[in-house]
Amino acid sequence: MTASHRCDAIAVVDDDPRLRQLVGGYLSQEGYEVFEAENGSALSSILQRRAIDLIVLDVLLPGEDGFSVCRRLRATGTRTPIIMLSAKAEDADRIAGLTMGADDYVCKPCNPRELRARIQAILRRSPPKEEPGGPSIANEVVRFGPFEFNMGTRTLRRDGRILGITTVQIAILKVLVRHTGQPMSREKLAQVARGRELGAFDRSLDVQVSRLRKLLEDGAFSYIQTVWGVGYMFEPSGKDGGIRYPSGPGHAASW
C-alpha cells in the first residue's frame, strides 16, 4: 500500500471497460478495494450488497446518465461521497453535478494522481468511522411509532420504557434505520453492522434480525421487513404515518 488513507472500497462507474480497468487498476495499486460497474443499475446492485466509501461516477452513461444516478442516490438518503468524471468541461455541467449532490467534478482526461489526491481530500473531510454497535458520533435520535431509538446512548424505548437490546441488535438497527426504505442484503448488513463477512452457512444474522423484528412489533406490524430475494429493510410507515425526526441541538438524525 503506497497511500495512507481511510477508504476501504471505491466503486468506479463507467460504461467504457478500458477506462474502468485503467482507473480501477491504479486505485487498486494504491491499496483501495475497487468495484467496477458499467451503469447505474450495476452500481445499485453493488451498493445493495456491500458498504462503499466513495463513488467515481461517469456522467455520460447509457440510459440513466451520471447526473440522474447522483440525484437518485441523494434523494434516497445515500451520503456516500461522489466524484463525477466527465469529458464535459463546461461550467454549466460542473455546476449541475455539484448542485445534484456530487462532492467533486473532475474533467477527462485526468491525471490518475490528481484523482487519487481528490479522493484523499474528500475522505479526510468525512467523519471518522464508527465501531459496529458503538455509539453514534452525532447524538442521533429517531422516533417511529411508539419507539424512540437513541444511537448516541444506544437505547431503545417504547412509550418511554427502555427495552432490552443487545449490541449486535443495536448495530443492525443503526444500519437499517440509516438506510430507511432501502433493501439491505444479508451480506452488506453483516459487513456494516458486524464488521465482518457473512459465512456461507452463517444464520446468526437472521436469528438476530428475527429477535429485533419481534422487539419492534406494533400490533401485527413490524418495522423490520423481509425483502424476499434481497434481505431486510427498515419500513417506517407504521400506524402513525411514518418516521419523525426531533428538532434541536444533538437530535438531528443523520442520513
Side-chain angles (χ1 to χ4, degrees), residues 86-237:
S86 176
K88 303 173 72 174
E90 291 79 7
D91 287 345
D93 296 308
R94 292 174 180 269
I95 293 170
L98 295 172
T99 300
M100 290 176 187
D103 297 84
D104 203 349
Y105 190 105
V106 179
C107 295
K108 296 179 182 177
C110 73
N111 188 313
R113 288 179 295 179
E114 178 188 354
L115 179 60
R116 180 194 62 185
R118 289 175 181 266
I119 289 172
Q120 291 173 333
I122 288 174
L123 293 173
R124 279 197 299 269
R125 298 194 297 266
S126 299
K129 293 182 181 180
E130 297 173 357
E131 290 295 323
S136 65
I137 296 170
N139 190 27
E140 303 168 64
V141 180
V142 179
R143 296 189 178 104
F144 48 98
F147 298 97
E148 178 184 280
F149 180 42
N150 188 316
M151 291 181 256
T153 61
R154 298 190 300 172
T155 55
L156 177 67
R157 297 174 183 267
R158 178 175 183 142
D159 296 322
R161 179 173 58 88
I162 293 180
L163 302 177
I165 184 169
T166 67
T167 299
V168 173
Q169 290 166 358
I170 289 169
I172 292 171
L173 185 56
K174 277 173 60 179
V175 175
L176 291 172
V177 164
R178 285 174 169 171
H179 295 80
T180 184
Q182 301 176 40
M184 300 280 290
S185 69
R186 295 172 65 251
E187 293 76 15
K188 180 173 179 177
L189 192 56
Q191 181 194 46
V192 178
R194 302 167 68 186
R196 63 180 176 86
E197 300 290 336
L198 192 66
F201 302 102
D202 188 349
R203 308 305 298 180
S204 60
L205 177 74
D206 303 282
V207 171
Q208 293 296 335
V209 171
S210 177
R211 292 172 179 170
L212 185 59
R213 179 188 285 119
K214 291 183 181 297
L215 198 62
L216 294 177
E217 284 181 350
D218 186 10
F221 179 83
S222 176
Y223 291 90
I224 305 298
Q225 299 288 306
T226 298
V227 181
W228 298 110
V230 179
Y232 302 102
M233 180 177 73
F234 176 71
E235 174 50 67
S237 58

Side-chain angles (χ1 to χ4, degrees), residues 31-53:
Y32 295 100
E33 186 178 9
V34 177
F35 295 84
E36 298 181 14
E38 67 273 16
N39 53 38
S41 177
L43 172 64
S44 296
S45 179
I46 291 172
L47 293 176
Q48 197 175 83
R49 296 195 311 270
R50 62 163 299 124
I52 294 295
D53 297 288

